[in-house]
Amino acid sequence: MEHRRLGRTGLRVSSVGLGTMTWGRDTDELEAKEQLDIFLDAGGTLVDTAASYGEGVSEEVIGALLREHVDRQDLVLVSKAGVRTWRTGERSSVADASRGSLLDTLDTSLARLGTDHLDLLLVQVPDPSTSLEETAHALSLAVSSGRTRYVGIANHPAWASVRMHDLLSECGRGPGLAAVEVEHSLLSRGIERELRPASQALGFGILGYAPLGRGVLTGKYRATIPPDSRAASPHLRSYVSPYLGDAHRGVVEAVATAASGLDRKPAEVALAWARDAPGIASTIVGARTPAQLQGVLAADDLELPVQIRHALDEVTSVQLGYPERF
């Protein structure tokens, strides 16, 4: 598997990362161990988690594997803070990128993971109630205290990413904004309007996630919803449903047609497109089972022919409006 620099930092990441959102819930500990083995054997290094995944259960599963099965130095470990969860009868979550929330969550994550540092800490979602200045100061402190090597943000718009880049540069401590993590696939190309040009101009890296369109681009939902799929899971049903409508059916069929012509699986075509898209350092793929992960990683040797990439680009092209088209 290819390894690439994350933006202008010295951090190198595998071109495909391993997402762990389902670990400890839909993916049990034994399956997680097998997934990690498959991923490492394929040459992968980047493992992506978050304090909010399963209310910390994903991090706990990774921590157990780090204690008993794999060396910390073999992983590029990414986690996210900035979502606060509590229970008042029902589970409730809210964005909280305040200094106290970020640093407290970071300490809790490190304890779950059983390590003294992350390779990359990300703010998971925008928090309109906290200033970017406060968030940037907390991220700077996380680096200067040694609890993370690099910092970044996830799911933020381009303007906020540029502002965070400037604020972290003004802090003068640490490597600045290392990366943004955002959804990017043939069903979600919005970052290409402004965020990708900003990253190329300012030098922060892009980690894409959900390259399979939350599983929809695999073609598994073309006829029905399989009972063992994410769309049937009580935890993830709402995550998949936005891509199940007629609006995306043409893209799913285009990927299936391309896969048939190449004698590959649709998941391999979708992953190869996202992995090799301009400006992407790594694309993060999550799988419920080891077999699913192994099938997706079979795309490692697939380089899409120029004609097929161009055709898929045309089918899913981003519509530029004012002022982006200038």
Side-chain angles (χ1 to χ4, degrees):
M1 188 180 297
E2 183 184 0
H3 287 234
R4 303 166 177 169
R5 284 181 61 189
L6 185 60
R8 294 177 187 166
T9 73
L11 182 62
R12 300 188 70 83
V13 297
S14 52
S15 59
V16 176
L18 178 60
T20 65
M21 183 171 63
T22 64
W23 285 19
R25 294 190 303 182
D26 299 289
T27 303
D28 64 30
E29 291 83 352
L30 188 60
E31 291 173 318
K33 177 182 177 181
E34 191 174 347
Q35 281 195 27
L36 185 59
D37 286 342
I38 291 169
F39 180 65
L40 293 175
D41 288 345
T45 57
L46 190 154
V47 175
D48 179 84
T49 187
S52 65
Y53 290 174
E55 298 178 60
V57 175
S58 172
E59 290 181 331
E60 290 173 356
V61 171
I62 295 170
L65 291 171
L66 286 172
R67 287 192 303 273
E68 303 165 4
H69 187 62
V70 66
D71 290 335
R72 170 68 179 86
Q73 64 186 9
D74 292 337
L75 304 183
V76 174
L77 196 53
V78 181
S79 193
K80 308 176 200 73
V83 173
R84 183 161 49 89
T85 303
W86 70 93
R87 288 185 180 275
T88 55
E90 294 185 1
R91 179 176 177 270
S92 299
S93 298
V94 66
D96 186 351
S98 65
R99 173 188 173 99
S101 175
L102 291 179
L103 297 177
D104 287 348
T105 301
L106 173 57
D107 288 339
T108 302
S109 291
L110 293 177
R112 291 191 190 112
L113 293 164
T115 183
D116 64 353
H117 74 280
L118 297 174
D119 293 294
L120 177 64
L121 169 67
L122 300 171
V123 180
Q124 188 169 357
V125 292
D127 173 12
S129 65
T130 300
S131 70
L132 288 175
E133 287 80 2
E134 178 175 340
T135 299
H137 189 270
L139 292 177
S140 180
L141 182 58
V143 173
S144 63
S145 65
R147 287 177 278 181
T148 185
R149 299 294 189 253
Y150 297 92
V151 292
I153 55 180
N155 302 302
H156 285 64
W159 72 264
S161 302
V162 171
R163 180 59 177 152
M164 184 61 71
H165 169 274
D166 292 345
L167 289 169
L168 288 171
S169 297
E170 291 168 8
C171 286
R173 295 183 295 179
L177 182 69
V180 296
E181 184 176 312
V182 283
E183 184 170 0
H184 184 243
S185 74
L186 282 162
L187 294 179
S188 180
R189 296 181 59 184
I191 68 165
E192 297 174 24
R193 293 187 182 94
E194 292 188 325
L195 184 60
R196 187 170 69 185
S199 76
Q200 293 168 335
L202 299 176
F204 53 84
I206 295 179
L207 302 175
Y209 71 83
L212 307 185
R214 308 185 186 185
V216 174
L217 292 172
T218 65
K220 70 170 69 175
Y221 302 111
R222 292 168 78 187
T224 187
I225 296 178
D228 61 345
S229 67
R230 287 186 177 188
S233 164
H235 309 299
L236 299 171
R237 184 182 298 116
S238 62
Y239 179 67
V240 179
S241 60
Y243 291 155
L244 292 179
D246 291 340
H248 304 292
R249 195 178 306 277
V251 181
V252 174
E253 295 304 321
V255 171
T257 299
S260 178
L262 293 170
D263 196 22
R264 306 296 287 250
K265 294 179 180 178
E268 296 175 52
V269 171
L271 181 66
W273 182 91
R275 179 197 63 207
D276 298 333
I280 301 296
S282 180
T283 188
I284 299 165
V285 61
R288 188 179 56 81
T289 68
Q292 288 174 350
L293 178 63
Q294 202 151 27
V296 173
L297 293 180
D300 187 53
D301 67 342
L302 176 59
E303 182 177 348
L304 294 180
V306 173
Q307 300 91 331
I308 289 182
R309 176 171 285 279
H310 179 71
L312 292 173
D313 285 347
E314 286 290 307
V315 169
T316 63
S317 60
V318 176
Q319 299 301 310
L320 297 181
Y322 177 85
E324 298 91 358
R325 66 175 178 266
F326 291 106

